[in-house]
Amino acid sequence: MHKIILKPGREKSLLRRHPWVFSGAVARIEGKATAGDTVHVVANDGRFLAIAAVNPDANISARVWDWNESTQINTAFFHRRLNAAIGMRRALFGRNPEEAERLVHGESDGLPGLIVDRYADVVVLQISSAGCHRWREAIIEALQQITAARAIYERSDADVLELEGLTPRTGLARGELDTPVVEIRESGIRMRVDVAKGHKTGFYLDQRDNRLQVGRLAAGRDVLNCFSYTGGFTLQALVHGAASVTSVDSSADALQLAREHVRLNDLREDRCEWVDADVFLYLRKLRDQNRQFDLIVLDPPKFAPTAATAERAARGYKDINLLGFKLLRSGGLLATFSCSGGVSADLFRKIVAGAALDAGADAQVIVQFHSTPDHPVSLAFPEGEYLKGLLCRIN
Ligand code: SAH
């Protein structure tokens, strides 16, 4: 077995069970290990720390599979881990065959660099680490056995792939799909997910519970849904009796699908306004037109993937939140989110507080949002908690 030997004192994060070994912590790698090989991570004094997948050329040199020296990393290991992740969800949340859910959430489920989502009877996986790439066949085979999915589709095309030196891979891995557009239900609402071309694995599953919670507040209100994608928040608002919903996104395809969803669910098209625009510009236009809303959703894409880009991201969040507060009527609600790993919940709250202050808004936090619970966060891996949000009410 190859070994990664850490610099003196650099074993601390591993002793706290953080699953990443950064290149800066590595003294040397013993043996000719290539990306994806299983290695032992050892402290400078030779003490065993973890068993991991190595990636000698990446910034994250190793990702931990397990903390026990005797664990064998083989096909059975992946079957066990996948079974545990999927079994946990069955036990806690049951399984609705028509709905969508996250089955595997990477590091937090002990499978670094692996995301698995289920859209009704279709499973979509995304591999973004050299270790999971090496064990791709074993993972897909185990998923087939455990889920009995009609099809397994691969969407290993995330930006982070490049950092791991992996080439993107997409397409059908098992079974058959006559169309990549899969119909699901989200708390009763029919939605279509394009697993081939949709964002991420096709859809934003992490916001499921938040969409319902925000939608329930929409009755009789004029709603502005910014960064609406395929209409998740829009549909929930309509179902719960919103007076009007203005949906803004810069993707014409996403807006098109959102409109289709309104018809599919027999919802009130006459209450909908669709805007293909840049939210940063459109919010200014609304301000100049003196438009006002009772409920505004801001769910932008990731502005800061890492802490290094947090400052620029902070300006972006400040800007849209400030405009959001200004566009609210008295008693209005702002549901504002950040999915930037590089912006902590604490920092996000400070940015939103600064935006309220500059907008002259007297705001209270009513709800703190997190990902839907099938996106668990390992306590040893705080990076897993990327999605945070606040529901603010202004006087
Ligand atoms: N709220 C959505 C998910 C939003 S994802 C849901 O619940 O499903 C972010 C969306 O922002 C994407 O649809 C993307 O097309 C859009 N987007 C990214 N930058 C944008 C911009 N500057 N202006 C408008 N839309 C943007």
Side-chain angles (χ1 to χ4, degrees), residues 187-198:
S187 30
I189 298 173
R190 294 170 67 187
M191 294 190 81
R192 290 179 176 156
V193 177
D194 188 335
V195 299
K197 292 206 206 81

Side-chain angles (χ1 to χ4, degrees), residues 186 191 199 203-208 211 225-233 248-252 254 275-281 297-303 337 339:
E186 178 169 303
M191 294 190 81
H199 296 179
F203 194 55
Y204 293 88
L205 282 173
D206 48 2
Q207 288 281 32
R208 267 150 49 234
R211 286 192 281 257
N225 180 14
C226 296
F227 309 97
S228 58
Y229 192 48
T230 58
F233 284 99
V248 191
D249 203 283
S250 56
S251 160
V275 184
D276 180 348
D278 180 331
V279 166
F280 289 84
L281 302 177
V297 179
L298 297 174
D299 184 23
K302 192 161 45 184
F303 290 158
F337 298 92
C339 59

Side-chain angles (χ1 to χ4, degrees), residues 104-212:
V104 180
H105 192 46
E107 276 74 356
S108 293
D109 278 308
L111 290 164
L114 180 67
I115 295 295
V116 183
D117 292 334
R118 177 178 69 84
Y119 296 108
D121 57 359
V122 175
V123 162
V124 182
L125 82 154
Q126 179 162 87
I127 288 174
S128 61
S129 67
C132 283
H133 182 74
R134 170 69 61 91
W135 292 97
R136 181 179 173 277
E137 268 308 311
I139 289 167
I140 292 169
E141 193 51 41
L143 283 173
Q144 180 64 62
Q145 285 176 21
I146 297 165
T147 66
R150 171 162 65 99
I152 298 182
Y153 199 89
E154 180 163 10
R155 281 297 301 276
S156 302
D157 56 354
D159 297 342
V160 291
L161 232 69
E162 225 174 288
L163 305 174
E164 284 279 305
L166 298 170
T167 37
R169 182 165 187 164
T170 62
L172 199 61
R174 286 285 192 285
E176 276 173 47
L177 270 185
D178 37 6
T179 157
V181 181
V182 180
E183 185 165 320
I184 59 158
R185 277 178 189 264
E186 178 169 303
S187 30
I189 298 173
R190 294 170 67 187
M191 294 190 81
R192 290 179 176 156
V193 177
D194 188 335
V195 299
K197 292 206 206 81
H199 296 179
K200 306 212 284 183
T201 64
F203 194 55
Y204 293 88
L205 282 173
D206 48 2
Q207 288 281 32
R208 267 150 49 234
D209 284 6
N210 301 334
R211 286 192 281 257
L212 178 61

Side-chain angles (χ1 to χ4, degrees), residues 357-373:
L357 190 68
D358 288 4
D362 185 10
Q364 302 163 291
V365 173
I366 307 290
V367 179
Q368 302 184 47
F369 297 111
H370 305 279
S371 297
T372 296

